[in-house]
Amino acid sequence: MPERRTVALVTLGCARNEVDSEELAGRLEADGWQLVEDAAEADVAVVNTCGFVEAAKKDSVDALLEANDLKEHGRTQAVVAVGCMAERYGKELAEALPEADGVLGFDDYTQISERLQTILSGGIHAAHTPRDRRKLLPISPVERQESAASVVLPGHGPAVPEQGPGDLPDGLAPASGPRAPLRRRLDGSPVASVKLASGCDRRCSFCAIPSFRGSFISRRPSDVLNETRWLAEQGVKEIMLVSENNTSYGKDLGDIRLLESLLPELAGVDGIERVRVSYLQPAEMRPGLIDVLTSTEKVAPYFDLSFQHSAPGVLRAMRRFGDTDRFLELLDTIRGKAPEAGVRSNFIVGFPGESEADLAELERFLNHARLDAIGVFGYSDEEGTEAATYDDKLPEDVVAERLAHISRLAEELVSQRAEERVGETLRVLVESVDEEDGVYGRAAHQAPETDGQVLLTNGEGLDVGRMVEAKVVGTEGVDLVAEPLFQGALTRGEEAGR
């Protein structure tokens, strides 16, 4: 019997990319590939790249070069680039990086097994010429669902052959409807992301994502529910809904309030302990959505709001809406309904035309917003964006100085916000247990990777995936230190009886 072909997926970038990698893993395993964690033990190393900003693109190139080095010392025979950077640059990336044996765009995902086999056999699959993926779907959102079947949407998955549970490898998600993807989990984390939609219809002047991710299109609620049920069967306790803009969910399905009705259904899935929504646009926040996010059992009162700045002049140049006072009013509304709500956001400093007064206005907002997590980025041109054509660019040293200043302020403010939580009782999902490092988890106001974590003292007997109540007794910067209120791991019956 011939040895099975092996493949490793290396994922960079955001949670959306993680979902895409698991879809690719599902397709490959269903076609007979053996998945391995270590790229050095794989015949093919597939690097799912990020193409968002220069730093992310550099990380992607570095990962490809590191994988290429394995061809001299390990089993690896081929290195293939997929993901946003591969989609965005196509032939240009292939020419600039000959170390990559293949550069595959989104349209190759449905034939990923065939493409990798061709490359592994020494053949060549020509990299694509990039195109504006916004033009692949109708301009009108309500007309997009009918056309979606002919467009590859990573993380959505088009129709797959019907297969019974016995026809698929263990742990592989079956087809659960006409738009359900095959998916293979690549780790044993109790947290998993679920793609709610793809693409974006906004035209922020600094962002190139819509051009290579395409126009906004929602997944059908039944597909999201079926995938969540399957993840719960795999031991997942928390799902995080991801897309480029979750507040637009349902607009192409004829109901912009669809998220409000979907969230309670997801929270009701047996085995799911927490549902988290990411990527929310402040200008699109609705009273009904705020109500659901702040009052639904098992739905985290968590608000990942994309503010980007608060000075009105800068926001208009960004093709965005709002100002300091309106943003603070939104936060007051949220905290009036859920005082413990978690809020995070990202900000760009040094945007073309940003004045000292604009920077002071941003500082005013940050000082009053009481955000739990803050990401700060210095502006840099992204090719193909409107902002790259602006004339009033700030010198690089000024951008760097403002970045350092606001970053220091942000670090101080999130530490102060963490200290405000001392004395609070939190529901903490245990994510790691180590004899040396201790027991760590996350509370409702902390998303994976970005928002800090909770160190559980006296956590003996706690297992990964356990949800426990704990009282915050201290802080370490943005991280919290908490004491479990119930010693040891609680059984399902004990939890139900509390």
Side-chain angles (χ1 to χ4, degrees), residues 15-37:
R16 301 185 294 275
N17 256 17
E18 294 172 5
V19 176
D20 296 349
S21 285
E22 293 196 349
E23 177 191 338
L24 291 175
R27 292 182 181 279
L28 288 166
E29 188 165 71
D31 201 43
W33 291 77
Q34 180 181 347
L35 299 170
V36 296
E37 293 185 11

Side-chain angles (χ1 to χ4, degrees), residues 23-24 27 105-114 152 157-158:
E23 177 191 338
L24 291 175
R27 292 182 181 279
F106 296 154
D107 291 335
D108 293 306
Y109 280 22
T110 54
Q111 292 87 36
I112 185 67
S113 177
E114 177 185 335
V152 175

Side-chain angles (χ1 to χ4, degrees), residues 451-472:
D451 299 347
Q453 55 189 350
V454 179
L455 169 63
L456 291 166
T457 63
N458 300 322
E460 296 83 1
L462 294 177
D463 299 320
V464 171
R466 186 70 62 179
M467 187 75 78
V468 297
E469 286 190 357
K471 183 176 181 179
V472 181

Side-chain angles (χ1 to χ4, degrees), residues 80-200:
V80 176
V82 299
C84 291
M85 190 174 180
E87 172 64 35
R88 184 177 182 183
Y89 295 104
K91 289 183 177 179
E92 182 182 346
L93 178 61
E95 293 170 358
L97 197 69
E99 290 86 353
D101 299 285
V103 175
L104 305 181
F106 296 154
D107 291 335
D108 293 306
Y109 280 22
T110 54
Q111 292 87 36
I112 185 67
S113 177
E114 177 185 335
R115 299 288 188 263
L116 295 191
Q117 185 58 58
T118 296
I119 294 168
L120 186 59
S121 301
I124 297 175
H125 179 72
H128 70 290
T129 299
R131 54 179 172 169
D132 189 339
R133 296 189 72 87
R134 290 172 293 190
K135 299 179 180 179
L136 301 183
L137 293 169
I139 294 176
S140 171
V142 296
E143 297 176 0
R144 290 176 188 165
Q145 290 291 329
E146 293 183 3
S147 304
S150 61
V151 177
V152 175
L153 300 169
H156 291 227
V160 296
E162 291 188 4
Q163 295 167 293
D167 299 323
L168 295 173
D170 291 340
L172 187 62
S176 56
R179 294 175 57 77
L182 289 168
R183 179 172 180 175
R184 156 63 83 172
R185 297 218 66 206
L186 294 175
D187 61 39
S189 170
V191 184
S193 296
V194 174
K195 188 77 72 76
L196 193 62
S198 287
C200 186

Side-chain angles (χ1 to χ4, degrees), residues 414-481:
V414 296
S415 295
Q416 291 174 16
R417 178 65 181 126
E419 290 171 2
E420 291 178 17
R421 291 193 180 274
V422 173
E424 285 188 12
T425 297
L426 310 174
R427 296 189 78 229
V428 180
L429 178 62
V430 178
E431 292 190 336
S432 67
V433 177
D434 186 274
E435 290 185 3
E436 294 185 5
D437 296 333
V439 179
Y440 283 90
R442 286 180 305 99
H445 70 281
Q446 297 168 316
E449 307 293 337
T450 58
D451 299 347
Q453 55 189 350
V454 179
L455 169 63
L456 291 166
T457 63
N458 300 322
E460 296 83 1
L462 294 177
D463 299 320
V464 171
R466 186 70 62 179
M467 187 75 78
V468 297
E469 286 190 357
K471 183 176 181 179
V472 181
V473 296
T475 66
E476 295 178 358
V478 70
D479 296 331
L480 304 178
V481 180

Side-chain angles (χ1 to χ4, degrees), residues 38-316:
D38 188 349
E41 298 176 359
D43 297 318
V44 184
V46 177
V47 179
N48 192 349
T49 61
C50 179
F52 181 37
V53 294
E54 285 303 319
K57 287 183 277 191
K58 181 182 182 302
D59 289 343
S60 295
V61 170
D62 289 344
L64 287 163
L65 293 175
E66 288 176 13
N68 182 69
D69 290 340
L70 297 175
K71 289 192 287 189
E72 295 183 10
H73 309 293
R75 172 173 176 163
T76 309
Q77 301 173 50
V79 175
V80 176
V82 299
C84 291
M85 190 174 180
E87 172 64 35
R88 184 177 182 183
Y89 295 104
K91 289 183 177 179
E92 182 182 346
L93 178 61
E95 293 170 358
L97 197 69
E99 290 86 353
D101 299 285
V103 175
L104 305 181
F106 296 154
D107 291 335
D108 293 306
Y109 280 22
T110 54
Q111 292 87 36
I112 185 67
S113 177
E114 177 185 335
R115 299 288 188 263
L116 295 191
Q117 185 58 58
T118 296
I119 294 168
L120 186 59
S121 301
I124 297 175
H125 179 72
H128 70 290
T129 299
R131 54 179 172 169
D132 189 339
R133 296 189 72 87
R134 290 172 293 190
K135 299 179 180 179
L136 301 183
L137 293 169
I139 294 176
S140 171
V142 296
E143 297 176 0
R144 290 176 188 165
Q145 290 291 329
E146 293 183 3
S147 304
S150 61
V151 177
V152 175
L153 300 169
H156 291 227
V160 296
E162 291 188 4
Q163 295 167 293
D167 299 323
L168 295 173
D170 291 340
L172 187 62
S176 56
R179 294 175 57 77
L182 289 168
R183 179 172 180 175
R184 156 63 83 172
R185 297 218 66 206
L186 294 175
D187 61 39
S189 170
V191 184
S193 296
V194 174
K195 188 77 72 76
L196 193 62
S198 287
C200 186
D201 288 341
R202 302 184 71 88
R203 295 295 180 263
C204 301
S205 63
F206 56 84
C207 183
I209 288 177
S211 65
F212 57 85
R213 276 288 184 178
S215 298
F216 184 90
I217 186 161
S218 305
R219 292 183 71 196
R220 295 188 180 278
S222 58
D223 292 343
V224 178
L225 273 166
N226 284 335
E227 189 167 338
T228 298
R229 293 187 184 107
W230 175 78
L231 287 167
E233 292 171 358
Q234 301 296 307
V236 169
K237 299 299 182 184
E238 175 181 326
I239 63 164
M240 184 168 72
L241 300 178
V242 299
S243 75
E244 280 73 19
N245 178 10
N246 282 331
T247 34
S248 283
Y249 180 68
K251 71 176 185 179
D252 52 321
L253 294 171
D255 185 0
I256 191 61
R257 296 178 299 277
L258 197 55
L259 184 57
E260 285 96 303
S261 59
L262 177 60
L263 283 171
E265 292 188 73
L266 293 170
V269 171
D270 187 36
I272 294 298
E273 295 289 341
R274 180 184 290 154
V275 177
R276 184 184 304 277
V277 184
S278 61
Y279 305 112
L280 300 169
Q281 287 292 339
E284 297 181 28
M285 290 300 297
R286 304 175 293 277
L289 180 56
I290 295 174
D291 286 343
V292 171
L293 287 170
T294 55
S295 65
T296 306
E297 185 179 3
K298 294 188 179 181
V299 173
Y302 175 79
F303 293 81
D304 177 9
L305 294 164
S306 178
F307 289 123
Q308 302 299 345
H309 212 285
S310 72
V314 175
L315 287 168
R316 302 306 173 269

